[in-house]
């Protein structure tokens, strides 16, 4: 359909181009018939534009009116009348058609630009009045004394120019609107320019119109009608009403040029052409006064528009567009003002930052529109609550809100106010998608009594406190303390140093033996990472692994740890220190399991170290299985297929759901030290451990007890049937260089009725190998 209509449109254009030569060959009656027929072809074009392209009825009506007025003008005036406008009625009908065309163009331009202001109307009137002055000076005034034609005819003829100029300006505006120019746009612009050309020829050569001039003007009108019809039929005419604004700078430049020209040209003509009569002087004076009045109105309107735009920009710069609350800049300004007035009767400025917990889940599950609705509801409730205590609410960004409390005298009062505001987030919210329940974490920072802090410092302190509340488990508040800053500074120092720790070879692997409680022999090791700083300080994993996890460094150091542990096991096996069935266990973080290349890196490490996959245990925690079950299942299944075995670490401290053991390829569970520590004294803990061991046996899983520290714990584990254990009683984690002496000590003393436990070669305590 679109292709057919496009071809028909170009047929209209081709017919028009072919008919132009006939205008110079046919007589006046023939030209009249062709002009009326051309106006008649607008009817099918308008039907297509309305029913197929769905152009507005108003625009179609104006096109129809233009065609009717042109046909009537030709009917009443004949081809000579259309050419030289000898008939006053024909001239008035043509002028009326031009006025309608101006209206149609203005309507199209307003739809394209999205608006049509009073300033545009004033500009149009100025241009029309400038055209009238040019027409008066060049066409009317020189012929006032003519006896061949009446003054009415001259005045009627002079009205063409005031209509032509706005039409020309609107055609240029339509051509410049939108980034992409469609064929229909160009066809309309060409049709308007052809009509303007015909009117210009008629206006300037009316009383000395030759046959050639008449034919040329009539040809311009004919082409204008056919080009207009082609524009209506062409499929791209649907874009004529599509909002497509151009650069405001371009619009301003064009407007200044046109307005300046409409002021300059008439004034130049007034200055250059003498005024021979009193009537001429009066007409020129009144016309110039009209232009100046319009220019003054335009200046006033432009000034008001500029003030409104400035006010809008200032408001937009200080207001959050979604909630209408003050933004960070606005709150910052108020904090600065409040700091400056501290000590003048008001309290100490307090800033409270709230962050909605897990807000991303709302956006991901319900959609961003629902998320925006939630933020609006929260902002309204929080603003109402804050007003009740004289505080000001702002939106910082995303799901974070700020509250500036100027009347809290003490940190305790500030915290109490924050607790009151915190209750706002606990109230259920109803959105289109259902009821939403929220929690939020908040940080409270009060201006120090010394007054030494600046506004940005208050924001920083509140931010630190807020993240402290999040780290504490969310849905809570934290009051800023100086120790938080010290902790954060130390953490940042560790984070920065950690980035280069691997390259500086500061990371070390320590190994803790795992013994078989029946044979007393070492059957495996758990490899644990340590960080030996350049100053000699040795950091445990609890001091830096969480930071490595957050920053993503864990991926690189985790891969290094697996390869290092496997290489060490290979060295021990090749050196005869342990048997070729000895295993090595390495802890794996959730971040590593979400890495799509993790399984490949493990198999590559096994190949490089020449270690059988069955000798590698990867220890995972329940948290990753709960948070990202699909990712965890996929990664663990890949590892299982590669022959690597999976151990569930710290079993019993989390959800400890039996479904985890069913859904995931788990081969071993490690009883957490919290249960082992009370096994000798607590019947409850003993029952729990017995249950875990029995469950592991029934599921075919190995069971390892962690954190064995006393003889009584070890005896209880043997009695309950636990076959493997590790802990400080057996051995602390030791560096690889100390492992030979550690194993030798363990083997020597486990051969007798009592076993002496060595740590780094130093005797600590005797433990029995029997169950009693």
């Amino acid at each position: 359909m679109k292709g057919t209509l496009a071809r028909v449109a170009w047929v209209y254009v081709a017919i028009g181009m072919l008919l132009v030569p006939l205008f110079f060959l046919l007589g006046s009656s023939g030209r009249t018939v062709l002009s009326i027929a051309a106006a008649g072809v607008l009817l099918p074009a308008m039907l297509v534009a309305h029913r197929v392209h769905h152009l507005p009825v108003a625009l179609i009506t104006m096109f129809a009116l233009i065609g009717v007025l042109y046909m009537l003008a030709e009917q009443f005036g004949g081809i000579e009348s259309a050419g030289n406008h000898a008939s006053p009625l024909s001239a008035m009908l043509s002028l009326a058609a031009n006025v309608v065309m101006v209206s149609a163009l203005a309507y199209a331009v307003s739809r394209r630009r999205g608006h049509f202001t009073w300033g545009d109307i004033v500009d149009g009137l100025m241009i029309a009045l400038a055209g009238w002055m040019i027409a008066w000076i060049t066409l009317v005034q020189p012929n006032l004394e003519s006896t061949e034609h009446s003054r009415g005819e001259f005045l009627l003829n002079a009205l063409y120019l005031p209509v032509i100029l706005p039409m020309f300006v609107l055609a240029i505006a339509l051509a410049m609107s939108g980034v992409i120019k469609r064929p229909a746009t160009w066809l309309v612009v060409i049709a308007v320019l052809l009509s303007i050309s015909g009117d210009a020829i008629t206006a300037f050569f009316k009383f000395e119109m030759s046959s050639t001039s008449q034919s040329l003007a009539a040809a311009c009108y004919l082409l204008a009608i056919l080009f207009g019809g082609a524009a209506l039929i062409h499929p791209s005419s649907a874009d004529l009403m599509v909002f497509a604004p151009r650069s405001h700078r371009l619009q301003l430049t064009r407007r200044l040029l046109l307005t300046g020209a409409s002021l300059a040209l008439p004034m130049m003509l007034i200055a250059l052409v003498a005024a021979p009569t009193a009537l001429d002087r009066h007409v020129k004076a009144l016309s110039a006064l009209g232009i100046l009045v319009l220019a003054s109105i335009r200046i006033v309107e432009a000034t008001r528009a500029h003030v409104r735009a400035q006010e809008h920009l200032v408001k937009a710069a200080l207001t959050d567009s979604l909630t209408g609350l003050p933004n960070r800049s606005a709150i910052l300004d108020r904090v600065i003002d409040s700091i400056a007035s501290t000590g003048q009767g008001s309290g100490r400025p307090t800033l409270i930052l709230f962050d909605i917990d897990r807000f991303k889940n709302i956006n991901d599950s319900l959609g961003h529109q629902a998320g925006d609705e939630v933020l609006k509801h929260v902002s309204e409730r929080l603003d109402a609550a804050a007003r009740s205590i004289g505080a000001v609410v702002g939106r910082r960004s995303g799901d974070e809100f700020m509250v500036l409390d100027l009347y809290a005298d003490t940190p305790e009062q500030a915290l109490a106010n924050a607790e009151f505001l915190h209750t706002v987030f606990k109230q259920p919210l109803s959105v289109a998608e259902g009821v939403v329940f929220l929690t939020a974490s908040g940080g409270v920072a009060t201006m120090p009594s010394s007054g030494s802090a600046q506004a940005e410092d208050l924001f920083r302190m509140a931010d630190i406190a807020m993240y402290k509340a999040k780290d504490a488990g969310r849905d809570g508040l934290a009051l800023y303390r100086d120790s938080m800053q010290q902790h954060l500074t130390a953490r940042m120092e560790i984070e920065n140093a950690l980035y280069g720790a691997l390259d500086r070879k500061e990371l070390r692997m320590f190994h803790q033996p795992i013994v078989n409680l029946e044979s007393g022999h070492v059957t495996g090791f758990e490899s644990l990472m340590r960080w030996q700083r350049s100053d000699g300080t040795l950091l445990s994993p609890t001091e830096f692994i969480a930071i490595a996890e957050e920053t993503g460094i864990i991926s690189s150091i985790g891969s290094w740890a697996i390869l290092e542990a496997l290489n060490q096991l290979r060295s021990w096996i090749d050196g005869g220190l342990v048997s070729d069935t000895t295993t090595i266990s390495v802890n794996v973080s959730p971040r590593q399991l979400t890495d799509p290349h993790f399984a490949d890196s493990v198999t590559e490490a096994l190949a490089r170290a020449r270690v059988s996959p069955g000798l590698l245990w990867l220890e995972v925690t329940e948290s990753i299985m709960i948070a990202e079950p699909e990712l965890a299942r996929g990664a663990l299944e890949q590892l299982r297929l590669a022959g690597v075995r999976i151990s569930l670490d710290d079993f019993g401290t989390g959800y400890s759901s039996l479904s985890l053991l069913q859904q995931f390829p788990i081969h071993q569970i490690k009883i957490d030290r919290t249960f082992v520590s009370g096994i000798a004294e607590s019947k409850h803990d003993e029952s729990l451990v017995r249950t875990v061991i029995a469950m592991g046996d029934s599921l075919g899983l190995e069971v390892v007890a962690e954190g064995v520290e006393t003889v009584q714990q070890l005896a209880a584990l043997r009695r309950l049937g636990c076959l493997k254990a590790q802990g400080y009683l057996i051995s602390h984690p030791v560096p690889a260089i100390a492992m030979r002496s550690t194993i030798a000590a363990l083997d020597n003393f486990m051969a007798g009725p009592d076993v002496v436990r060595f740590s780094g070669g130093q005797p600590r305590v005797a433990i029995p190998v029997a169950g009693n």
Side-chain angles (χ1 to χ4, degrees), residues 8 11 14 18 23 37 39 109 194 234 261 272 276 301 352 428 432 453 457 521 613 658 744:
V8 172
V11 168
L18 292 174
F23 271 75
V109 170
L194 286 168
H234 198 279
L272 295 174
E301 194 277 335
I352 309 168
D457 297 328
H521 294 150
L658 294 179

Side-chain angles (χ1 to χ4, degrees), residues 419-533:
E419 289 173 348
F420 166 69
L421 297 173
H422 189 236
T423 60
V424 167
F425 295 92
K426 298 180 181 295
Q427 303 168 14
L429 288 172
S430 295
V431 295
E433 291 74 9
V435 179
V436 177
F437 295 89
L438 302 176
T439 62
S441 301
V444 185
T446 301
M447 178 62 63
S449 56
S450 62
S452 58
Q454 301 298 315
E456 288 289 355
D457 297 328
L458 200 60
F459 271 92
R460 176 181 51 78
M461 293 187 293
D463 204 42
I464 292 172
M466 183 187 71
Y467 280 101
K468 182 68 174 178
K470 281 191 172 295
D471 291 342
R474 297 185 173 90
D475 191 22
L477 296 170
L479 180 64
Y480 176 81
R481 307 290 185 189
D482 290 338
S483 58
M484 294 181 184
Q485 178 65 57
Q486 296 166 3
H487 173 76
L488 182 63
T489 302
R491 187 187 185 282
M492 286 297 298
E493 193 273 331
I494 290 176
E495 180 180 325
N496 293 334
L498 187 58
Y499 274 102
L502 189 59
D503 294 334
R504 295 190 300 269
K505 302 187 183 330
E506 293 178 355
L507 299 180
R508 306 283 185 269
M509 295 303 292
F510 279 49
H511 312 274
Q512 185 175 41
I514 301 172
V515 299
N516 185 300
L517 297 185
E518 288 187 340
S519 66
H521 294 150
V522 174
T523 61
F525 304 92
E526 181 178 356
S527 293
L528 301 164
M529 191 182 299
R530 299 289 187 268
W531 180 14
Q532 188 166 26
R533 303 287 301 275

